[in-house]
Amino acid sequence: MSSLFPAEKVVFSVPNAEIEYHPHFFDEEQSNVFFTQLLSEVPWQQDDITVFGMTHPQPRLTALFGNEGKPYSYSNIVMHPHKWNPLMLYIKNEIEQISNVSFTTVLLNLYRDGKDSNGWHADNEKELGTNPTIASVSFGAERVFHLQHNFIKEEKIKLTLENGSLLLMKGETQHFWKHQIPKTTKPIGPRINLTFRIIR
């Protein structure tokens, strides 16, 4: 069972967004077990990404799991889903109970060290529909997560995503905000992030 305590939920009061953070959604022991299992069992891949006309290896490893075989496209990358496994279904079910959303797909990211990153972007691909709910759960090393409003530059959030934490982004968030996981020069271990979503 997830170790969620209502008092530990943080709701951010910012314009054009519904963002809430659950720092200890899964407890430390459970999170460490999940991390080890995901690291060894997920069929990780590294795709090439093209930015400003330059193609280079994506600075992290990824995998996609989901129903119905529907692909997911972003940054000129087309990913085809693997079938759900028992661990992924367990995590999915726990998150669905608090989010009241039935997710179809999860995109996994493996940040091997501080050199791996995810640049500024929004999860606003057409397959996700209008006002998508994105549920992001983290296992392993802590990483800093930045959010920035697209039009109100002083509206920004800096958050440390902890082992076992859950971040929910709902409502208009993906239309008005962008987010990133920046590189860091600090010595840091690997982190696995699962971002659950609905492919329309």
Side-chain angles (χ1 to χ4, degrees):
M1 294 180 63
S2 57
S3 58
L4 174 67
F5 301 95
E8 295 188 348
K9 179 174 78 171
V10 179
V11 178
F12 293 91
S13 180
V14 292
N16 309 117
E18 296 175 39
I19 302 169
E20 59 186 61
Y21 178 61
H22 304 259
H24 306 293
F25 188 74
F26 294 104
D27 66 40
E28 188 79 10
E29 181 179 359
Q30 192 176 37
S31 298
N32 291 339
V33 170
F34 289 171
F35 173 82
T36 300
Q37 190 172 343
L38 290 165
L39 186 63
S40 63
E41 295 181 3
V42 169
W44 298 104
Q45 64 189 66
Q46 186 174 28
D47 296 294
D48 286 337
I49 188 169
T50 301
V51 181
F52 303 121
M54 300 286 289
T55 300
H56 54 85
Q58 194 167 208
R60 62 190 179 280
L61 305 185
T62 60
L64 189 73
F65 285 76
N67 328 351
E68 302 172 2
K70 291 183 179 179
Y72 179 58
S73 303
Y74 67 97
S75 300
N76 296 316
I77 295 171
V78 179
M79 300 190 70
H80 297 275
H82 303 283
K83 292 183 179 179
W84 294 108
N85 62 29
L87 174 58
M88 221 73 70
L89 285 173
Y90 174 79
I91 297 171
K92 175 177 176 285
N93 180 66
E94 292 292 296
I95 293 172
E96 287 177 342
Q97 289 186 49
I98 192 170
S99 64
N100 295 315
V101 175
S102 296
F103 297 104
T104 67
T105 307
V106 60
L107 176 64
L108 293 87
N109 296 286
L110 169 57
Y111 300 86
R112 295 160 292 183
D113 53 31
K115 296 177 184 177
D116 279 356
S117 62
N118 198 342
W120 285 111
H121 70 285
D123 296 318
N124 57 2
E125 291 78 18
K126 65 181 185 207
E127 300 102 311
L128 302 180
T130 304
N131 294 343
T133 294
I134 306 295
S136 175
V137 63
S138 299
F139 301 116
E142 297 180 352
R143 290 295 293 262
V144 173
F145 183 77
H146 292 165
L147 291 122
Q148 168 76 61
H149 196 286
N150 293 334
F151 309 111
I152 311 172
K153 296 307 178 186
E154 61 270 21
E155 290 290 350
K156 56 184 69 175
I157 297 170
K158 182 179 179 181
L159 182 63
T160 299
L161 299 176
E162 302 169 65
N163 183 25
S165 65
L166 170 66
L167 179 71
L168 290 174
M169 296 181 285
K170 303 181 286 185
E172 298 179 319
T173 306
Q174 302 304 322
H175 301 296
F176 286 90
W177 291 72
K178 55 184 177 288
H179 53 272
Q180 71 162 349
I181 297 282
K183 297 180 187 298
T184 177
T185 57
K186 296 178 181 177
I188 195 168
R191 167 185 179 257
I192 294 174
N193 164 242
L194 290 74
T195 54
F196 289 86
R197 59 201 62 210
I198 297 173
I199 302 294
R200 304 290 178 183

